[in-house]
RNA sequence: GCCUCUGUAGCUCAGCGGACAGAGCACCGGUCUUCUAAACCGAUGGUCGCAGGUUCGAGUCCUGCCAGGGGCGCCA
């Protein structure tokens, strides 16, 4: 009989692999003994069962029935009889219709408590990203206005993804891509100029296509306070730069309020200045994917007639249709100005050249077709787009229940005309933690109605408080314990009961959750998990007392040690979600 | 016209091809001389939108419908 040693890191996923290997080896032994016919053993993963009493892992032997020409129950028994000793495994049972159920050894769970406390925040860190670099590009709003509610979801999801990648072992860079050169920025500058002139007492009406937002009035007022009459002589460029500066300060402050900071800011303009867009275009041309024409090669009669009617001169086209696009795309307009497609391709090519193993891009679904065109462009350059992964976010809106209508309706925060819903408004209405949690706790491809009343409710109706309260309750125990002079040195963890071990068991899933979140780009998984873990915690807190007259001193010590680990675990999860861990509420 | 997402309890949502489909809320009934009850315990509640298919096994995969949301299309 062989002894399979425990992997050094003890995330459940690694135990899964070990158990799977042990089962496979048992099957081989059975084949070797002649109890099972020879067949190639398919990989059937072990998985956590759905209900209690079915152990911690389930292996469905039903999948082998046909190959082995035996009943699933018989196969399961054959495996169990030949299973090597596993020092983390407890009971192993066979259950109809052919499951093998295996539990984690209690002793193993107890050891994890000390292991968690010894390793601290690094306990759950995975090595799947060790030595690899990842980039998350998110928010990427142009500095023409404040961060909106839509951007907020992007910000939260992007930052959570970055934190999860870090937890998985990647070196992560957070990047913000923006364009301050377009027509919109010129209009922004001119809008600020007009607002400034208004502040100086001139009759300078703001055209309808200019920025109506009241925030420009605030900026104008500040400018006037600082520079006064001398502003009359400045042109729109001055105001554009001024507006941009203030906007970026504002954007960064708004993001910082929900615990988000970017490492790098990439300006689209730099791609023009470095002439990268032209070298990218040349490379695509050399590869034969670019042509000049008045209309695209596959245009039908209607399109050609339309082009003639508009009198377009020849433009530079990218033959994206040869990569699967429904039509070709213009890269450089007939007036010589590139469309947004060219810099987008150049930017992503630049990103790939910087050598990231993973480059996550968080985008709204309005970028769906554009993202595909960028991918075709990368292929046209002869580059491999595989490292680029896009998380598409569906719409988000802030809503409030309308009792009269009997339905949710969108919150129109605009106290002042022209102002839209901003992240700042949202945080003011709710809280940074509520925004972080609720913006995260939904699949990116589901639409999200952010209920501004629900998210601040202080009950277990609201996961924000429910999760944080688990941490607060732990903290409370330690405050009280310190006052009474009770500590947990030399705690004997064999005094812990079934409930405490149930919590540890659940907590050990964190590694799996992180891995799954990272592999499938589903950062919301961690939010759901945190709520589940809190749901395991609260009944235990109720039942398993530390500082109670009927609890023996040694038991109290052991329990205190348990709560120390629980506290560390909730702290870790809250950090992972960018939320605060309050000591009291 | 094309693309995309969603449809699971009254509501908001989980659910990696596996065992009797889960949680919170709401509703009903309980629990504070014990580390804060912002909590806990219990009960009620389901033809997983519909129809086929693949599979030993489908809420999960495939196809087609139905319903609802969002986007793109026009050299922006």
């Amino acid at each position: 009989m062989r002894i399979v040693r425990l992997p050094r890191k003890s995330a459940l996923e690694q135990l899964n692999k070990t158990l799977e290997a042990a089962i496979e080896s048992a099957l081989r032994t059975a084949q070797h003994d002649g109890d099972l016919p020879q067949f190639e053993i398919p990989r059937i993963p072990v998985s956590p069962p759905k209900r209690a009493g079915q152990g911690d892992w389930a292996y469905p032997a039903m999948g082998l029935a046909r190959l082995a020409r035996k009943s699933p129950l018989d196969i399961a028994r054959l495996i169990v009889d030949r299973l090597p000793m596993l020092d983390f495994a407890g009971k192993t049972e066979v259950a109809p219709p052919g499951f093998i159920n295996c539990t984690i050894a209690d002793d193993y769970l107890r050891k994890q408590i000390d292991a968690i406390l010894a390793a601290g925040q690094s306990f759950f860190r995975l090595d799947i990203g060790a030595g690899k670099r990842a980039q998350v590009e998110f928010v990427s709003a142009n500095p023409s206005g404040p961060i909106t509610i839509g951007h907020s979801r992007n910000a939260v999801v992007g930052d959570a993804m970055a934190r999860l990648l870090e937890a998985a072992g990647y070196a992560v860079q957070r990047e913000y891509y923006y364009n301050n050169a377009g027509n919109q920025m010129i209009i922004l500058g001119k809008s600020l100029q007009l607002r400034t002139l208004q502040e100086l007492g001139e009759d300078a009406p703001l055209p309808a296509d200019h920025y109506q937002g009241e925030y420009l009035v605030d900026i104008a007022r500040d400018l006037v306070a600082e520079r006064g009459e001398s502003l009359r002589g400045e042109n729109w460029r001055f105001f554009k730069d001024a507006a941009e500066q203030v906007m970026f300060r504002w954007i960064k402050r708004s993001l910082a309020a929900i615990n988000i900071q970017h490492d790098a800011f990439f300006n689209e303009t730099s791609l023009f200045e470095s002439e990268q867009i032209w070298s990218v275009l040349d490379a695509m041309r050399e590869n034969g994917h670019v042509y000049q024409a008045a209309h695209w090669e596959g245009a039908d009669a209607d399109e050609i007639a339309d082009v003639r009617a508009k009198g377009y001169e020849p433009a530079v086209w990218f033959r994206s249709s040869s990569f699967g696009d429904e039509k070709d795309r213009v890269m450089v307009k007939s007036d010589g100005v590139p469309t947004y497609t060219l810099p987008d391709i150049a930017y992503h090519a630049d990103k790939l050249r910087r050598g990231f193993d993973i480059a996550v891009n968080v985008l709204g679904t309005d970028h769906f077709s554009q993202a595909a065109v960028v991918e075709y462009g990368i292929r046209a350059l002869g580059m491999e787009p595989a490292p680029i992964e896009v998380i598409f976010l569906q719409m988000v809106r802030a809503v409030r229940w309308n009792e009269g209508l009997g339905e949710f309706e969108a919150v129109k925060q605009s106290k002042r005309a022209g102002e839209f819903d901003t992240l700042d408004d949202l945080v003011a209405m709710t809280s940074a933690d509520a925004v972080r949690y609720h913006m995260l706790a939904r699949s990116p491809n589901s639409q999200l109605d952010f209920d501004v009343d629900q998210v601040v409710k202080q009950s277990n109706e609201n996961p924000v408080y429910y999760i944080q309260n688990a941490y607060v309750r732990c903290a409370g125990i330690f405050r009280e314990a310190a006052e009474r002079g009770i500590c947990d040195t030399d705690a004997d963890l064999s005094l812990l009961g079934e409930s405490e071990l149930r919590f540890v068991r659940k907590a050990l899933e964190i590694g799996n959750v992180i891995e799954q979140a990272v592999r499938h780009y589903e950062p919301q998984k961690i939010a759901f998990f945190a709520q589940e873990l809190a749901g395991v915690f609260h009944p235990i807190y109720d039942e398993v007392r530390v500082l109670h007259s009927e609890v023996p001193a040694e038991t109290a010590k052991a329990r205190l040690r348990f709560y120390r680990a629980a506290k560390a675990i909730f702290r870790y999860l809250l950090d992972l979600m960018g939320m605060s861990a309050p000591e009291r509420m």
Side-chain angles (χ1 to χ4, degrees), chain A residues 68-278:
Chain A
R69 280 165 304 188
K70 268 189 185 305
S71 83
L73 274 177
D74 288 342
I75 301 168
R77 289 198 193 95
L78 285 171
I79 294 171
V80 168
D81 290 345
R82 288 164 180 75
L83 217 51
M85 282 272 276
L86 301 164
D87 57 3
F88 59 85
K91 272 189 317 203
T92 305
E93 286 172 344
V94 172
F99 286 101
I100 298 173
N101 293 134
C102 180
T103 60
I104 305 185
D106 286 355
D107 196 47
Y108 175 78
L109 291 173
R110 289 192 195 95
K111 280 186 193 145
Q112 299 316 301
I113 292 176
D114 282 329
I116 288 165
L117 291 172
Q121 302 284 293
S122 68
F123 180 81
F124 294 104
R125 194 182 175 85
L126 307 179
D127 51 15
I128 55 179
K132 295 184 186 166
R133 294 170 62 224
Q135 188 210 52
V136 182
E137 184 225 318
F138 64 116
V139 185
S140 297
N142 289 341
S144 54
I147 294 292
T148 65
I149 289 176
H151 299 137
S152 310
R153 186 178 189 187
N154 186 307
V156 166
V157 168
D159 188 60
M161 198 63 235
R163 284 168 193 255
L164 285 161
L165 285 163
E166 282 166 346
Y170 289 90
V172 180
Q173 184 197 43
R174 292 163 170 80
E175 184 154 289
Y176 190 122
Y177 178 67
Y178 69 102
N179 178 16
N180 58 357
N183 199 39
Q184 291 307 306
M185 292 301 292
I186 295 173
I187 294 177
L188 180 74
K190 289 182 174 168
S191 302
L192 179 60
Q193 184 174 28
L194 290 170
R195 288 298 196 193
T196 304
L197 293 175
Q198 288 173 1
E199 280 301 309
L200 290 170
E202 282 186 32
D203 179 27
L206 203 62
D209 64 343
H210 280 43
Y211 283 83
Q212 306 294 320
E214 197 75 12
Y215 56 88
L216 287 180
V217 177
D218 297 338
I219 299 173
R221 196 169 296 134
D222 289 349
L223 273 178
V224 169
E226 203 179 308
R227 295 269 318 267
E229 295 295 321
S230 69
L231 289 164
R232 290 185 199 273
E234 300 289 358
N235 62 14
W236 64 265
R237 282 173 207 281
F238 167 85
F239 289 100
K240 193 212 88 167
D241 289 345
E244 182 186 333
Q245 247 184 25
V246 174
M247 281 306 150
F248 253 125
R249 265 211 303 276
W250 188 358
I251 288 169
K252 287 181 190 175
R253 180 161 26 89
S254 300
L255 291 174
I258 56 169
N259 233 340
I260 291 172
Q261 249 185 314
H262 286 83
D263 305 306
F265 288 80
F266 194 110
N267 188 343
E268 182 185 318
T269 309
S270 67
L271 295 166
F272 288 76
E273 286 163 356
S274 65
E275 313 239 318
Q276 274 191 83
I277 52 164
W278 305 120

Side-chain angles (χ1 to χ4, degrees), chain A residues 29-37 68 70 78 82:
Chain A
T29 311
Q31 286 179 326
H32 181 81
D33 296 348
D35 292 322
L36 284 179
K70 268 189 185 305
L78 285 171
R82 288 164 180 75

Side-chain angles (χ1 to χ4, degrees), chain A residues 438-449:
Chain A
H438 288 281
M439 287 285 183
L440 178 62
R442 182 77 81 252
S443 166
N445 48 26
S446 290
Q447 288 169 203
L448 169 58
D449 275 352

Side-chain angles (χ1 to χ4, degrees), chain A residues 5 17 38 68 72 76 131 224 273 328 330 333 354 372 392 437 455 523 547-548 559:
Chain A
R5 296 275 348 145
K17 299 257 156 58
Q38 291 297 326
V224 169
E273 286 163 356
D328 293 344
V330 170
K333 293 185 279 184
R354 283 187 268 162
F392 286 105
Y437 187 84
V455 301
L547 310 168
H548 186 273
R559 290 179 176 178

Side-chain angles (χ1 to χ4, degrees), chain A residues 10-18 20 43 508 511-512 515:
Chain A
S10 52
L12 272 190
E13 182 60 27
Q14 286 157 307
L15 302 189
N16 290 354
K17 299 257 156 58
T18 312
E20 282 164 20
R43 187 180 172 270
L508 291 179
N512 294 10
E515 180 169 356

Side-chain angles (χ1 to χ4, degrees), chain A residues 313-364:
Chain A
E313 294 297 313
V316 179
W317 293 78
F318 166 34
R319 197 178 288 108
S320 55
S321 60
S322 67
F323 292 91
D325 204 354
E326 57 182 354
K327 52 173 280 198
D328 293 344
R329 309 283 167 170
V330 170
M331 301 256 281
V332 184
K333 293 185 279 184
S334 46
D335 62 5
V337 178
T339 63
Y340 52 83
T341 303
L342 181 53
D344 263 11
I345 294 171
Y347 170 56
H348 283 87
D350 179 87
K351 228 187 231 192
L352 288 172
R353 275 194 290 267
R354 283 187 268 162
F356 294 107
D357 297 283
I358 293 177
V360 183
N361 212 336
V362 186
L363 297 173

